[in-house]
Amino acid sequence: MKMEEQTRYRERTSWAYWVDLIYGVAIVSCAYSVFVTSGGGVLFRLAVGAAILAAGWGLRMVLGGLTVLVQETRIVMHLGSVGLVRRMVPFDSIVSLESVRYRPLVEFGGWGVRGAGKKKAWTARGDRAVVIGLDEGRRLYVGSDHPRRLEEAIRGAVAGRRKRDD
């Protein structure tokens, strides 16, 4: 049985407030319109409306925001609160680190899990990230509200790992 790695640094970047607002209004509006306009009895309409609200809330739990964990041997990123959509980056594959400002709409077409080829992004909001240079010339943009702090946490963990390995 594999032990879970200890987390040295954790950062959570939620969606922008306006995205949460639009998402919430859309889900409530959809549930309300089904309740008001669909056929069937009140209990049926209530059940369908509740199902829509639950599905919307569930989707928000799976995709809403970005969590970055710097652990003992890797970086773990996951969307939402439940961590179903995740990516792990072992320290051994990291070649370089840099805190940057970038243009998510221009460079990636928006926020979320984006990109193709050797340039990818995991972001939730904003225009700041840590660019992780990986082996084989790949670049991974990890969105952050505090990119310098995240960069230093990764550097410290990588240095500590290399020191233990020597």
Side-chain angles (χ1 to χ4, degrees):
M1 183 172 155
K2 187 176 179 183
M3 298 282 294
E4 185 67 27
E5 289 195 26
Q6 181 179 0
T7 299
R8 299 171 61 125
Y9 178 84
R10 175 188 180 92
E11 182 177 330
R12 171 96 174 127
T13 305
S14 59
W15 284 343
Y17 73 90
W18 59 269
V19 174
D20 268 334
L21 182 65
I22 291 170
Y23 185 79
V25 168
I27 296 300
V28 169
S29 297
C30 185
Y32 178 75
S33 69
V34 167
F35 180 74
V36 171
T37 62
S38 68
V42 172
L43 283 177
F44 174 76
R45 291 183 297 167
L46 217 75
V48 172
I52 290 171
L53 290 174
W57 179 79
L59 188 60
R60 170 74 172 78
M61 295 297 290
V62 170
L63 299 177
L66 173 68
T67 300
V68 180
L69 308 171
V70 179
Q71 296 184 330
E72 296 171 23
T73 64
R74 65 189 180 190
I75 302 165
V76 178
M77 299 165 287
H78 68 79
L79 297 180
S81 302
V82 295
L84 292 178
V85 180
R86 69 175 47 221
R87 175 162 184 190
M88 294 181 212
V89 178
F91 290 160
D92 297 342
S93 65
I94 297 176
V95 176
S96 64
L97 293 167
E98 180 184 12
S99 298
V100 299
R101 282 200 181 268
Y102 72 111
R103 299 177 302 172
L105 288 171
V106 172
E107 294 181 51
F108 296 102
W111 296 266
V113 177
R114 303 290 182 128
K118 294 189 176 210
K119 186 176 175 184
K120 297 192 172 143
W122 279 63
T123 61
R125 71 166 180 234
D127 64 350
R128 297 182 297 167
V130 173
V131 179
I132 302 173
L134 301 168
D135 49 16
E136 300 175 11
R138 298 174 296 147
R139 294 169 50 92
L140 176 64
Y141 286 65
V142 179
S144 174
D145 288 336
H146 310 284
R148 293 201 194 290
R149 195 180 310 164
L150 176 58
E151 178 187 352
E152 288 306 313
I154 296 169
R155 283 188 192 284
V158 168
R161 168 80 178 173
R162 289 185 178 146
K163 194 178 292 184
R164 281 193 307 270
D165 289 346
D166 290 341

